[in-house]
Amino acid sequence: AQSVTQPDIHITVSEGASLELRCNYSYGATPYLFWYVQSPGQGLQLLLKYFSGDTLVQGIKGFEAEFKRSQSSFNLRKPSVHWSDAAEYFCAVGARSNDYKLSFGAGTTVTVRA
Amino acid sequence: NAGVTQTPKFQVLKTGQSMTLQCAQDMNHNSMYWYRQDPGMGLRLIYYSASEGTTDKGEVPNGYNVSRLNKREFSLRLESAAPSQTSVYFCASSEGDVGGIYGYTFGSGTRLTVV
């Protein structure tokens, strides 16, 4: 069965500093990988996705993520964080063998300090 | 705006009461999903519908039922609410016949409290 692990429950970062959120997945073949962001009291918004091809994918809001098959990872990065990036971030994985239903990690809460 | 609409946004139930959460999408998506979100556990799939007329259990289906009324609407019913069902419920939809290759579009959620 597919699974997703987000090792960091909470990260605090200064405005203007870089951010990296970790995501590890468990699945035998190439998975479909996603990052979502959830602002307080809101639904989830898709930041970016990876299916195949270039392992570095660009998303909205200045985010990017890199797929590393050897490490079973799909880490999310942003070079310079803005206060509006404070939110909860979810990594998700889907697979053909599971009808592409998405499994989500537990989430990482990002706090941005001035 | 196009998207996924959930009603109600907030609900308080007493133990044993029943209710139906409504979800509608206007993007002509085939697949629809119900998730619950609990602190520290991410989102867990309750039920999904790969296409109109079909429904299947997800990871945590006990205590819930669903109806795919038509292509647009997918409702979630709690027959006899329990405090363990206190959660935030999200409906989502996606393109494709079998799921979220292109990612899901989420509703804004229903915050349910069972007392």
Side-chain angles (χ1 to χ4, degrees):
Chain A
Q2 62 200 41
S3 66
V4 180
T5 302
Q6 293 180 245
D8 304 304
I9 297 173
H10 189 211
I11 287 179
T12 299
V13 61
S14 297
E15 192 168 16
S18 63
L19 174 68
E20 181 168 13
L21 304 182
R22 296 183 291 164
C23 172
N24 294 99
Y25 66 90
S26 173
Y27 180 62
T30 300
Y32 298 84
L33 294 160
F34 305 83
W35 274 100
Y36 285 85
V37 60
Q38 183 182 32
S39 298
Q42 302 297 312
L44 281 73
Q45 180 184 21
L46 180 65
L47 282 176
L48 47 77
K49 57 198 176 193
Y50 172 78
F51 302 146
S52 63
D54 192 348
T55 57
L56 184 64
V57 294
Q58 302 297 322
I60 62 171
K61 302 177 186 282
F63 285 91
E64 66 178 26
E66 185 172 14
F67 171 62
K68 292 186 177 180
R69 183 190 302 275
S70 62
Q71 299 177 19
S72 296
S73 69
F74 187 57
N75 294 349
L76 181 71
R77 298 193 294 256
K78 186 168 185 178
S80 178
V81 168
H82 186 262
W83 64 266
S84 60
D85 294 321
E88 189 163 18
Y89 294 79
F90 292 94
C91 182
V93 61
R96 183 189 304 271
S97 63
N98 198 28
D99 291 337
Y100 303 107
K101 298 188 301 294
L102 295 187
S103 295
F104 287 82
T108 298
T109 300
V110 173
T111 298
V112 180
R113 60 186 173 211
Chain B
N1 290 336
V4 178
T5 302
Q6 290 184 238
T7 55
K9 293 189 183 301
F10 301 94
Q11 184 71 48
V12 178
L13 289 179
K14 294 182 179 179
T15 299
Q17 286 185 320
S18 63
M19 81 161 294
T20 299
L21 282 62
Q22 306 288 351
C23 175
Q25 54 93 6
D26 58 5
M27 296 170 287
N28 202 37
H29 284 171
N30 285 315
S31 302
M32 298 186 74
Y33 311 83
W34 277 105
Y35 282 85
R36 60 177 289 172
Q37 182 181 26
D38 302 291
M41 303 189 74
L43 281 78
R44 292 180 292 168
L45 183 64
I46 305 170
Y47 271 94
Y48 69 103
S49 171
S51 61
E52 184 179 355
T54 69
T55 60
D56 285 286
K57 295 179 181 179
E59 183 184 355
V60 288
N62 291 344
Y64 305 95
N65 284 301
V66 291
S67 296
R68 183 76 183 267
L69 305 171
N70 47 55
K71 191 170 186 178
R72 291 186 64 248
E73 298 172 288
F74 188 40
S75 62
L76 178 71
R77 182 162 179 83
L78 288 70
E79 291 291 350
S80 179
S84 61
Q85 294 178 305
T86 293
S87 186
V88 181
Y89 291 85
F90 285 101
C91 178
S93 68
S94 70
E95 302 173 31
D97 291 331
V98 292
I101 299 176
Y102 305 103
Y104 294 175
T105 300
F106 282 87
S108 59
T110 295
R111 186 173 297 274
L112 175 67
T113 302
V114 183
V115 297

